[in-house]
Amino acid sequence: MPEFSFGQQLHDAITAHGPLCVGIDPHPFLLHEWGLPDSPSGVRDFGLRVVEAAVGRVAIVKPQVAFFERHGSSGYAALETVMNAARAAGILVIADAKRGDVGSTLSAYAQAWLTPGSALEADAMTVSAFQGVGSLESAVALATEHGKGLFVLAATSNPEAAAVQKATLRPGLQNAPTVASSIVAEVIALNAASAGDHGSFGVVLGATVALSDYGISLDALAAHPSTPILAPGFGHQGAAFAEIPQRFGRAACVIVSASRSILSAGPSGVDAAMDLAAKEIAECLA
């Protein structure tokens, strides 16, 4: 067993630097604004500059795998370089890979992103439980073995997901659980079954959605403080930092994820943009 679980590492990192998570999303338009080519070297240099700015400022970075993957094997090599640089600098890395499958396929995904020494090693990854949270069993086991984490999509910000995520599991039954609320409950149960005060298995809850519409109770989240929440949607997508208490209530561990609103500051301004975002978040949570 590892000396420290991902949950403990996450707690320590947030205690030291606050809950801001900066996305590393090299959109083509951002590469252009940064004066970089839309190429493997461009996404590598973009990512490394974000990591450089994040050192000592930010607890977590979250590379969006797709923006590197579109450049093929060279793009993956660039991603490896960026993630290795971040982890070497003591920054936690959540690979935003959104992988989901069953059996040996899901196990192979987990091995790629969560195995120590793997070329794509991250500290945690995002996963999809469309086939059921039970389908993540092999990833949960691997994460536990190696001190890694998982963040399971539950209530996401994209409007086209609402019909599925709000759907009830037992129609006609009063207060029937929704798909989203059942995922949250099962992830909470995973943490309850694990040792330690800080859970390594979290949920992705979009900051732009009303969680009550998805059957998710703020009181239930507050009652299970060991389950971390990865909350994308701040900044460009519309959620304001001032809304954190309203959106997530007394939940103990909310990872505040922002990307374009910070990255749009450009290579010369990204440092100050991180500082400003971190300051605003700290004031909201004081």
Side-chain angles (χ1 to χ4, degrees), residues 165-184:
Q165 293 170 357
K166 292 180 181 180
T168 56
L169 298 183
R170 293 187 287 277
L173 179 67
Q174 187 175 10
N175 298 321
T178 63
V179 170
S181 69
S182 68
I183 289 173
V184 172

Side-chain angles (χ1 to χ4, degrees), residues 74-155:
S74 297
Y76 266 109
L79 178 60
E80 292 168 17
T81 299
V82 171
M83 293 198 302
N84 287 338
R87 298 186 69 246
I91 302 170
L92 291 179
V93 175
I94 300 174
D96 199 354
K98 297 183 177 69
R99 299 298 193 247
D101 215 308
V102 294
S104 59
T105 306
L106 191 281
S107 179
Y109 282 136
Q111 290 166 24
W113 299 99
L114 303 179
T115 302
S118 166
L120 290 169
E121 181 184 359
D123 297 292
M125 66 183 292
T126 57
V127 291
S128 171
F130 186 76
Q131 294 96 330
V133 174
S135 68
L136 304 176
E137 181 179 1
S138 60
V140 168
L142 193 68
T144 302
E145 178 184 357
H146 296 309
K148 304 294 189 180
L150 299 173
F151 287 91
V152 187
L153 303 180

